[in-house]
Amino acid sequence: MVKLFSATHKKNTKQPKAIEVIIDGINHQGHGVARHQGKVCFVEGALPGETWRAKVVEDKKHFIQAQGLKCLTASADRQTPPCKWAETCGGCQLQHMQPQAQITAKQSFVEGLFSKVKLHTLPWQTNLQGDDLHYRNRVRLAAWYEGKQDKLHIGFRQKRSKKLVAVDRCLLAAKPFETILSALRLQLDSLKDKKYVQHVELHQVDPWSIIVLRVAQPCCREDIQRLTQFSEQNNCVVFVQSGTSPALPIDGVARELSYSILGLKMHFELADFIQVNHQMNQQMIEQAISWLDLQPSDKVLDLFCGSGNFSLPISQHCQFVAGIEGSESAVQRAQHNAQTNQLKNCQFSTKNLAEQAELKQINWGEYDKILLDPSRDGAALLCQQAHNWQANSVLYIACDANSLVRDSQFLDDAGYKISKIALVDMFPHTAHVETMALFKRV
């Protein structure tokens, strides 16, 4: 038999290159940004103003991804993270940075994006800020059942991984969950059918602290009894959701869920989208009303209106508000909220605002002012219609700064210029950037 020669491949024993860089900003992921030999270099965990020795992980044509080895010169804005899981948990990216410095860095990030489209001076207003801890009224945790150990873990995904960081507290969750979460972790691990637990959601809907368990199959009677006892001992309400069925309270008591905004009662269901930072939501609505300078004769168009979070408070200051939303259930909720608050100058309709044909159905000339609050994808197609608008003011609320910059170019082409801009610190200690920009027709 002939033995064929097979060359052995030499192992790549080349050590990753170490570089020294000076950080001058952060990117959309909260990573430090530097320059090295003409390329952009990203260093996770590095802060503006710091000097780092870093190991090159990826060296691409236009950028370098590096892993920090040692901080040679630390920023005065660096702090010890308040959470002990900050370095491994994927929930927060900026806990090592003082809260006010986070705002400054995010503002610089937005300025950098606008400078790419030749807009170098922005009319910044006072940024909106609130509490930097315990601000989330809704938190979702993943669950993982470790079969060999017969143990259920709950927590958040690790950075750059699908693995779980098991936690017994979260400093961003509403204050009542600070003690409840620790007890809940132990209680869930004691369930007979704990392997079917998939996710855990924490909702603070005053006056209730609500826990929603999402399970692969209905809980057995024994587990229901244990969860009932837990809810009584910890002064909370437990809901269970199995499959595609709605979440139901284990005590069988129906509850009316709502939050208050400027004297209005906003009803919602647990599955509805609402702003998770109530404090910042209220500030944002108040600023929207102020910036739009609403007059009794104004007719306002609220695009991506959801369940009326902006529409209903605005309707108290103008003649008429029309809200348009892609979700039929959200429109029904908005209509219900208008009725229960006895607001008769609101009208809501369902339209896909990413479809050209449906945009043509809108009578743009009817409205004096426009508010739009799109998803991260922004509203490119919508803003391309701006030359048809008669509104003198457009308020754009952006949860993605890149989308805002892109869409601002369409508004600019139609004669709308940025009159005011501010950050909304909706998610402190994360890389998320929320921005409000007022455009005026000139």
Side-chain angles (χ1 to χ4, degrees):
M1 180 179 290
V2 178
K3 182 177 181 180
L4 299 177
F5 173 76
S6 178
T8 57
H9 296 284
K10 293 183 179 180
K11 292 183 179 180
N12 184 7
T13 58
K14 187 178 179 181
Q15 294 296 314
K17 183 171 64 173
I19 59 176
E20 189 172 305
V21 292
I22 299 174
I23 310 300
D24 57 22
I26 61 172
N27 68 357
H28 67 287
Q29 296 177 306
H31 296 176
V33 179
R35 297 278 173 178
H36 181 73
Q37 296 181 348
K39 295 181 183 180
V40 178
C41 178
F42 304 112
V43 183
E44 184 176 351
L47 299 182
E50 294 184 334
T51 302
W52 275 79
R53 181 176 295 118
K55 177 177 67 176
V56 174
V57 178
E58 288 183 275
D59 192 349
K60 300 293 185 180
K61 184 177 181 180
H62 298 294
F63 73 92
I64 295 170
Q65 187 68 50
Q67 177 184 342
L69 296 175
K70 184 178 181 180
C71 180
L72 304 177
T73 306
S75 167
D77 296 324
R78 180 171 287 277
Q79 67 174 11
T80 300
C83 174
K84 64 181 180 181
W85 295 286
E87 292 187 3
T88 54
C89 177
C92 296
Q93 298 81 42
L94 296 173
Q95 282 199 21
H96 57 292
M97 192 178 198
Q98 293 180 9
Q100 189 57 50
Q102 295 175 27
I103 291 290
T104 302
K106 290 177 181 181
Q107 181 170 318
S108 296
F109 168 68
V110 173
E111 288 173 342
L113 294 179
F114 272 104
S115 68
K116 293 178 181 179
V117 295
K118 311 302 182 185
L119 189 54
H120 300 288
T121 303
L122 295 171
W124 286 104
Q125 309 297 302
T126 302
N127 296 317
L128 302 184
Q129 294 178 258
D131 298 331
D132 68 292
L133 298 176
H134 302 298
Y135 61 81
R136 290 192 66 109
N137 294 326
R138 176 183 290 184
V139 173
R140 185 179 186 185
L141 300 100
W144 172 55
Y145 175 67
E146 189 177 5
K148 291 183 179 180
Q149 302 296 326
D150 188 33
K151 187 172 183 61
L152 181 71
H153 304 274
I154 60 172
F156 300 102
R157 300 297 177 190
Q158 291 182 18
K159 295 178 180 178
R160 305 176 304 280
S161 174
K162 292 183 179 180
K163 293 182 179 180
L164 211 64
V165 178
V167 303
D168 58 13
R169 65 193 300 233
C170 174
L171 294 179
L172 303 191
K175 193 70 174 177
F177 288 109
E178 190 167 26
T179 55
I180 292 177
L181 184 55
S182 179
L184 177 64
R185 180 178 65 90
L186 298 175
Q187 180 63 68
L188 294 181
D189 192 41
S190 72
L191 296 181
K192 181 179 179 181
D193 290 334
K194 59 187 174 185
K195 65 181 178 182
Y196 297 120
V197 178
Q198 299 175 317
H199 293 95
V200 179
E201 289 185 4
L202 311 177
H203 298 253
Q204 185 60 34
V205 186
D206 292 337
W208 301 297
S209 298
I210 297 175
I211 298 167
V212 180
L213 301 183
R214 303 192 184 277
V215 296
Q217 69 176 40
C219 296
C220 65
R221 182 178 297 180
E222 181 181 337
D223 285 346
I224 291 293
Q225 291 174 345
R226 290 182 178 181
L227 291 170
T228 299
Q229 185 179 20
F230 173 84
S231 67
E232 293 171 351
Q233 292 174 343
N234 291 274
N235 193 28
C236 61
V237 181
V238 177
F239 282 65
V240 175
Q241 180 185 24
S242 176
T244 58
S245 302
L248 298 174
I250 60 174
D251 62 5
V253 177
R255 291 170 176 83
E256 185 181 81
L257 307 181
S258 67
Y259 63 94
S260 297
I261 287 289
L262 303 182
L264 300 175
K265 196 172 186 180
M266 307 291 287
H267 299 269
F268 68 96
E269 297 294 335
L270 290 174
D272 293 350
F273 170 81
I274 63 169
Q275 293 289 355
V276 301
N277 189 330
H278 182 74
Q279 184 183 28
M280 296 313 304
N281 185 45
Q282 177 147 326
Q283 287 191 41
M284 188 167 58
I285 292 171
E286 291 173 348
Q287 181 151 284
I289 292 171
S290 173
W291 280 14
L292 286 170
D293 189 24
L294 297 169
Q295 302 300 315
S297 61
D298 282 339
K299 294 182 180 180
V300 181
L301 178 61
D302 183 5
L303 301 167
F304 309 97
C305 69
S307 57
N309 185 59
F310 285 100
S311 305
L312 301 189
I314 283 175
S315 72
Q316 299 179 105
H317 300 270
C318 63
Q319 180 182 343
F320 177 74
V321 176
I324 300 178
E325 165 62 39
S327 166
E328 177 63 34
S329 61
V331 167
Q332 291 175 359
R333 190 81 60 210
Q335 292 169 336
H336 173 73
N337 283 331
Q339 291 170 1
T340 56
N341 286 284
Q342 299 181 338
L343 298 172
K344 299 180 180 180
N345 61 335
C346 304
Q347 177 181 310
F348 298 95
S349 60
T350 306
K351 282 185 174 60
N352 184 345
L353 295 172
E355 289 290 338
Q356 183 77 44
E358 301 208 28
L359 292 178
K360 289 181 178 179
Q361 299 173 15
I362 301 173
N363 182 6
W364 300 108
E366 185 179 349
Y367 305 102
D368 307 294
K369 290 162 185 179
I370 295 175
L371 181 148
L372 56 154
D373 183 13
S375 66
R376 290 178 180 272
D377 293 334
L381 184 62
L382 180 63
C383 290
Q384 290 173 38
Q385 312 296 312
H387 59 277
N388 295 320
W389 301 353
Q390 297 301 311
N392 52 55
S393 301
V394 176
L395 181 58
Y396 192 125
I397 298 164
C399 57
D400 183 272
N402 284 283
S403 296
L404 170 63
V405 173
R406 179 201 64 207
D407 295 347
S408 71
Q409 298 307 289
F410 301 126
L411 296 177
D412 184 82
D413 291 342
Y416 290 99
K417 308 298 180 182
I418 296 181
S419 170
K420 295 179 179 180
I421 186 170
L423 297 185
V424 181
D425 196 19
M426 190 69 74
F427 301 100
H429 300 299
T430 77
H432 183 92
V433 179
E434 190 102 2
T435 316
M436 296 180 72
L438 179 69
F439 294 80
K440 302 283 285 188
R441 176 159 264 166
V442 296

